[in-house]
Coordinates of all heavy atoms in Angstrom, one line a residue:
S230 N 17.8 -22.1 -112.4 CA 17.3 -22.5 -111.1 C 15.8 -22.9 -111.2 O 15.4 -23.9 -110.6 CB 17.3 -21.2 -110.2 OG 18.7 -20.9 -110.0
S233 N 15.7 -26.4 -112.7 CA 16.2 -27.4 -111.8 C 15.1 -27.7 -110.7 O 14.8 -28.8 -110.4 CB 17.5 -26.9 -111.1 OG 17.9 -27.8 -110.0
F234 N 14.4 -26.6 -110.3 CA 13.3 -26.8 -109.3 C 12.2 -27.6 -109.9 O 11.6 -28.5 -109.3 CB 12.8 -25.4 -108.8 CG 11.6 -25.5 -107.9 CD1 11.8 -25.9 -106.6 CD2 10.4 -25.3 -108.4 CE1 10.7 -26.0 -105.8 CE2 9.3 -25.3 -107.6 CZ 9.4 -25.7 -106.3
R236 N 12.3 -29.7 -112.4 CA 12.7 -31.1 -112.7 C 12.6 -31.9 -111.3 O 12.2 -33.0 -111.3 CB 14.1 -31.1 -113.2 CG 14.6 -32.5 -113.6 CD 15.9 -32.4 -114.3 NE 16.9 -31.7 -113.5 CZ 18.2 -31.4 -113.9 NH1 18.5 -31.7 -115.2 NH2 19.0 -30.8 -113.2
Y245 N 5.9 -40.0 -106.0 CA 4.9 -40.0 -105.0 C 3.6 -40.7 -105.6 O 3.0 -41.6 -104.9 CB 4.5 -38.6 -104.6 CG 3.3 -38.5 -103.6 CD1 3.6 -38.7 -102.3 CD2 2.0 -38.2 -104.0 CE1 2.5 -38.7 -101.3 CE2 1.0 -38.2 -103.2 CZ 1.2 -38.4 -101.8 OH 0.2 -38.3 -100.9
A250 N 0.1 -45.4 -105.9 CA -0.6 -46.5 -106.7 C -0.2 -47.9 -106.1 O -1.0 -48.7 -106.0 CB -0.2 -46.3 -108.1
S258 N -5.3 -55.6 -102.6 CA -4.9 -57.0 -102.6 C -5.1 -57.6 -101.2 O -5.6 -58.7 -101.1 CB -3.5 -57.2 -103.0 OG -3.2 -56.7 -104.3
S281 N -53.5 -53.6 -104.9 CA -54.2 -52.6 -105.7 C -54.3 -53.1 -107.1 O -53.5 -53.9 -107.6 CB -53.5 -51.3 -105.6 OG -52.2 -51.4 -106.2
V286 N -58.6 -51.4 -103.8 CA -57.4 -50.9 -103.0 C -57.6 -51.5 -101.6 O -58.5 -51.2 -100.9 CB -57.4 -49.4 -102.9 CG1 -56.2 -49.0 -102.0 CG2 -57.2 -48.8 -104.3
A313 N -33.9 -67.7 -99.5 CA -35.1 -68.4 -99.6 C -35.8 -68.4 -98.2 O -35.1 -68.6 -97.1 CB -34.9 -69.9 -100.0
L357 N -22.5 -49.3 -95.4 CA -23.8 -49.1 -96.1 C -23.8 -49.7 -97.5 O -22.8 -49.5 -98.2 CB -23.9 -47.6 -96.2 CG -25.3 -47.0 -96.7 CD1 -26.4 -47.4 -95.9 CD2 -25.2 -45.5 -96.9
A358 N -24.8 -50.4 -97.8 CA -24.9 -51.1 -99.1 C -26.3 -50.9 -99.7 O -27.3 -50.9 -99.0 CB -24.6 -52.6 -98.9
S372 N -55.9 -67.0 -96.8 CA -57.1 -66.9 -95.9 C -57.8 -65.6 -96.1 O -57.1 -64.6 -96.0 CB -56.6 -67.2 -94.5 OG -57.7 -66.9 -93.5
P403 N -19.8 -56.8 -87.6 CA -19.6 -57.8 -88.7 C -20.6 -58.9 -88.9 O -20.7 -59.4 -90.0 CB -18.2 -58.4 -88.3 CG -17.6 -57.3 -87.5 CD -18.7 -56.6 -86.8
F432 N -57.0 -43.2 -120.0 CA -55.7 -43.3 -119.5 C -54.8 -44.3 -120.3 O -53.6 -44.3 -120.1 CB -55.6 -43.6 -118.0 CG -56.3 -42.5 -117.1 CD1 -57.6 -42.8 -116.7 CD2 -55.7 -41.3 -116.9 CE1 -58.2 -41.9 -115.9 CE2 -56.4 -40.4 -116.2 CZ -57.6 -40.6 -115.6
Q434 N -54.7 -47.5 -119.9 CA -54.2 -48.5 -119.0 C -54.7 -49.9 -119.3 O -55.9 -50.1 -119.5 CB -54.5 -48.2 -117.5 CG -54.0 -46.9 -117.0 CD -54.5 -46.5 -115.7 OE1 -55.4 -47.1 -115.2 NE2 -53.9 -45.5 -115.0
G438 N -55.0 -57.1 -113.4 CA -55.5 -57.7 -112.1 C -55.0 -56.8 -110.9 O -54.8 -55.6 -111.0

Side-chain angles (χ1 to χ4, degrees):
S230 300
S233 177
F234 175 77
R236 185 172 54 185
Y245 180 81
S258 300
S281 62
V286 177
L357 184 64
S372 172
F432 300 102
Q434 297 174 347

